[in-house]
Structure formats: structure tokens, C-alpha cells
Amino acid sequence: MSAGDPARATRQMRHRTRLAGILAATLTALPASAQDAASILALICGRTVHYFSPELGNQIEYTAPDGSAYLWHSGNEVLVLGIWEVTEITPDIGEVCYVYRPGSFGADDPGSEFCFDWEMLISDVPQDGVRDGDPYNLASGLPPFALPFSRPVSVAALRTEFPDQPPERACGTLMM
């Protein structure tokens, strides 16, 4: 087969189109039925997830493959540093827990732990709110700008200023 083979070029184009469709579906579709630990791990590991709720404002969190968590949220001028772990509660139900350092949420905060099952995790995520890698360089420890509280940030606008990154290496095994 020569490099200029039209049939090969057509197969390659179909393959690229199929891969792009799979990637787009992974990042934009948050299926309500996926509740197991593996699905949670696949959703957040090595990715940055956007959240918005009227009660908490904007939150954007990068969950690094090494277990570090970098939470950027409205109302705070610094990132909240922590760790994360996915556990299996039952074979069909998992949860992710984030543990943050003492003082992260105020001077009297002794350290905070927040655990979320699938439904709780995705309830405040906009449709396009999952991004590969760390496009905002949150692992640097510095937020790029102050997040607004009362209105959701536009993920589409942020994609223009902070381009998508290639997917990161896979995470390790589940913690059970």
C-alpha cells in the first residue's frame, strides 16, 4: 500500500473522527448510571473539573494522578491544596474523598474532608466542565485570576485562553 492510497486515507480519517467522537463524549457526557469507583476515577484522575452552584459559587479542581488536589474557588485568593482518593463502597458504588490542610477554609478549620458519590460529584458540573490535564496550571499553586462567585464562568471562553492539554497518564489502582 502506498502512502497516497485513497482507501488508507479514508480509513485513517474515519479512525480520527471516531477517536475525536469518543474523546468528546468522554469529556461532555456525564452518564447518570456510572456510579462505580472505576467510573469516578476515570472521570477525575488527571483532569480539571469545573463546578458551579449558587451556594458555593465557582470551583475548579485539578486532581493530579499522584493523588494531589488543587482547588481554585471563588472567594479565595489562594488555591486550597489537598489530596484525593477514590474508594469502592460496594462493587457498584464508589466515592471520591478530598482531604484539605488545616486552615484551608478559614482560621478555625482543623482540616476538612469531603466525600462525594457519583451523583453528588457531577450534580454541579456543566456539560463541558471536564478538561484533560491541568490547563490552568493549578499545580503551580497559583490561581490565574479571581473566580466570580455569583455567575458561572464560561468554560468555552476559558478554553480559548487556556487551551486543552493532551490526556495525562493513567492513575494507579483504586484504593479499597
Side-chain angles (χ1 to χ4, degrees):
M1 225 184 259
S2 69
D5 182 1
R8 180 178 182 194
T10 300
R11 282 192 308 276
Q12 287 175 332
M13 180 58 84
R14 277 192 215 136
H15 180 70
R16 276 190 227 120
T17 302
R18 188 169 45 248
L19 285 177
I22 290 169
L23 180 60
T26 299
L27 297 179
T28 60
L30 300 172
S33 62
Q35 297 182 25
D36 62 324
S39 296
I40 292 171
L41 186 69
L43 175 69
I44 64 171
C45 183
R47 293 198 166 124
T48 299
V49 181
H50 291 246
Y51 303 93
F52 177 79
S53 73
E55 299 83 25
L56 299 172
N58 285 288
Q59 297 183 59
I60 298 174
E61 187 149 31
Y62 170 57
T63 49
D66 69 359
S68 301
Y70 305 88
L71 176 61
W72 173 26
H73 67 89
S74 51
N76 201 346
E77 295 178 12
V78 297
L79 292 180
V80 176
L81 306 178
I83 58 173
W84 65 277
E85 177 180 272
V86 173
T87 57
E88 185 176 71
I89 298 170
T90 70
D92 296 330
I93 304 291
E95 73 177 3
V96 58
C97 292
Y98 295 91
V99 179
Y100 301 102
R101 296 177 179 173
S104 294
F105 299 99
D108 296 331
D109 177 19
S112 300
E113 179 174 359
F114 302 96
C115 296
F116 305 95
D117 64 15
W118 177 267
E119 294 296 325
M120 289 171 53
L121 184 66
I122 68 166
S123 65
D124 295 328
V125 177
Q127 185 172 345
D128 61 348
V130 179
R131 301 193 60 195
D132 279 338
D134 182 15
Y136 312 115
N137 196 24
L138 300 181
S140 72
L142 301 172
F145 57 87
L147 286 173
F149 184 88
S150 60
R151 61 177 167 66
V153 295
S154 167
V155 179
L158 288 174
R159 284 180 194 274
T160 302
E161 188 173 346
F162 301 93
D164 286 337
Q165 296 183 333
E168 292 190 25
R169 68 175 174 81
C171 288
T173 59
L174 294 173
M175 305 299 175
M176 298 193 209

